[in-house]
Amino acid sequence: MSFWDYGNAFLLEAGRAGADVFKGDSASSEFRFPSYVQDIMGDIFSLGFGPFRWVCTSGEEKDLVETDRIATEIFESVLKNEVPPPVEQQYNDNLRWIKEAGSHQLVVGSQARILYSDQRGRIQLALAFNKAVSSGTLRGPVVVSRDHHDVSGTDSPFRETSNVYDGSAFCADMAVQNVIGDSFRGATWVALHNGGGVGWGEVINGGFGLVLDGSEDAGRRAKQMLAWDVSNGVRTADPRCFRFFHRYRNNVGQTLWAS
């Protein structure tokens, strides 16, 4: 039995209420049940994939449609090259998603989109968006970001890092290093915040925003910053996913080679 524990720290709160969910005593961060982060997302994060977002600041639907087209083109191009089967599966899933995204009419306010991508895809997307802004194909800048629940954004001893048992689960090294590294490498803004998803005092999250205004400088910063933003998480992903260590190891090698 696995537990889909995301967004409300259900296992933690159940344990505090007296439910028999901990492997040890109530001070333990180790649960009896495998969780969605460890056994599903840990695998995906170890490949460098996570939720990548962008917002078309023009506010025009035509710009969002164009970014969907650009993303489709880039993912199809990646799949033409030889990629490992687990990576290929992620790209195929997200290619289907981005092709169908517009038909689901999910936009309520901002003209924004999200998909899962790895370092290679995120950098290619950002550079292509920046080029489209520069050429006038897109009518305004694009802001790229991601969810805090990503490859390198979150330290949470009761969720993302709950299966790290050497004591470092209670450290916020990954989120802090992520934010500082992003700021030095050209992020437009960064945020280090507390409480996302599991409550105040239970998690530290790191995030960023990067404005792509069509300039050469924006392209340079996109390459530098997005490489760090993903690689820092891949570097620390293995404690989350010991079951998938071989995938983590292979992805580290590919990431270092690409860098």
Side-chain angles (χ1 to χ4, degrees):
M1 174 175 157
S2 296
F3 216 91
W4 190 274
D5 185 11
Y6 180 64
N8 53 13
F10 188 90
L11 284 174
L12 173 63
E13 296 305 326
R16 287 174 173 171
D20 184 18
V21 298
F22 294 108
K23 276 191 175 180
D25 57 34
S26 60
S28 171
S29 67
E30 187 176 358
F31 299 109
R32 293 175 54 207
F33 307 104
S35 78
Y36 129 90
V37 174
Q38 296 174 21
D39 286 72
I40 299 176
M41 296 310 300
D43 184 18
I44 296 173
F45 289 157
S46 72
L47 296 171
F49 279 83
F52 183 66
R53 293 170 171 163
W54 64 88
V55 180
C56 299
T57 64
S58 68
E60 297 191 15
E61 183 180 0
K62 290 181 180 179
D63 275 5
L64 187 61
V65 171
E66 177 62 17
T67 60
D68 287 349
R69 186 198 66 78
I70 291 171
T72 298
E73 187 176 90
I74 287 173
F75 277 28
E76 288 177 339
S77 176
V78 169
L79 286 166
K80 288 179 182 178
N81 300 312
E82 186 176 348
V83 294
V87 174
E88 182 181 18
Q89 179 185 351
Q90 292 297 320
Y91 270 108
N92 275 320
D93 287 349
N94 283 279
L95 178 59
R96 177 183 176 183
W97 154 248
I98 200 64
K99 284 182 174 180
E100 298 178 1
S103 66
H104 295 299
Q105 300 180 345
L106 298 173
V107 173
V108 176
S110 301
Q111 296 295 322
R113 192 71 81 211
I114 187 170
L115 53 69
Y116 270 58
S117 183
D118 59 0
Q119 176 177 317
R120 168 172 44 186
R122 296 185 203 208
I123 292 175
Q124 289 188 25
L125 285 167
L127 293 178
F129 293 162
N130 195 54
K131 183 177 179 181
V133 173
S134 178
S135 68
T137 303
L138 296 176
R139 295 172 179 260
V142 174
V143 178
V144 297
S145 185
R146 56 163 172 74
D147 196 285
H148 65 257
H149 177 57
D150 192 12
V151 180
S152 63
T154 301
D155 288 296
S156 176
F158 301 104
R159 196 177 65 190
E160 275 78 0
T161 48
S162 63
N163 62 335
V164 181
Y165 309 127
D166 63 356
S168 63
F170 294 91
C171 299
D173 55 318
M174 183 166 64
V176 173
Q177 290 170 3
N178 178 259
V179 162
I180 300 303
D182 284 354
S183 68
F184 275 55
R185 288 165 176 80
T188 307
W189 64 81
V190 295
L192 188 65
H193 51 103
N194 188 306
V198 293
W200 284 93
E202 312 291 3
V203 60
I204 296 293
N205 307 119
F208 76 89
L210 177 63
V211 177
L212 302 172
D213 60 6
S215 66
E216 289 185 13
D217 183 58
R220 177 186 62 80
R221 289 186 287 113
K223 286 191 284 188
Q224 289 183 168
M225 197 223 74
L226 291 173
W228 167 259
D229 191 69
V230 178
S231 296
N232 178 54
V234 171
R235 176 187 63 82
T236 50
D238 63 311
R240 296 173 169 174
C241 51
F242 283 126
R243 294 200 313 133
F244 310 100
F245 184 77
H246 62 290
R247 294 189 181 182
Y248 157 78
R249 182 181 60 193
N250 291 339
N251 191 44
V252 167
Q254 293 170 17
T255 301
L256 290 173
W257 180 260
S259 298

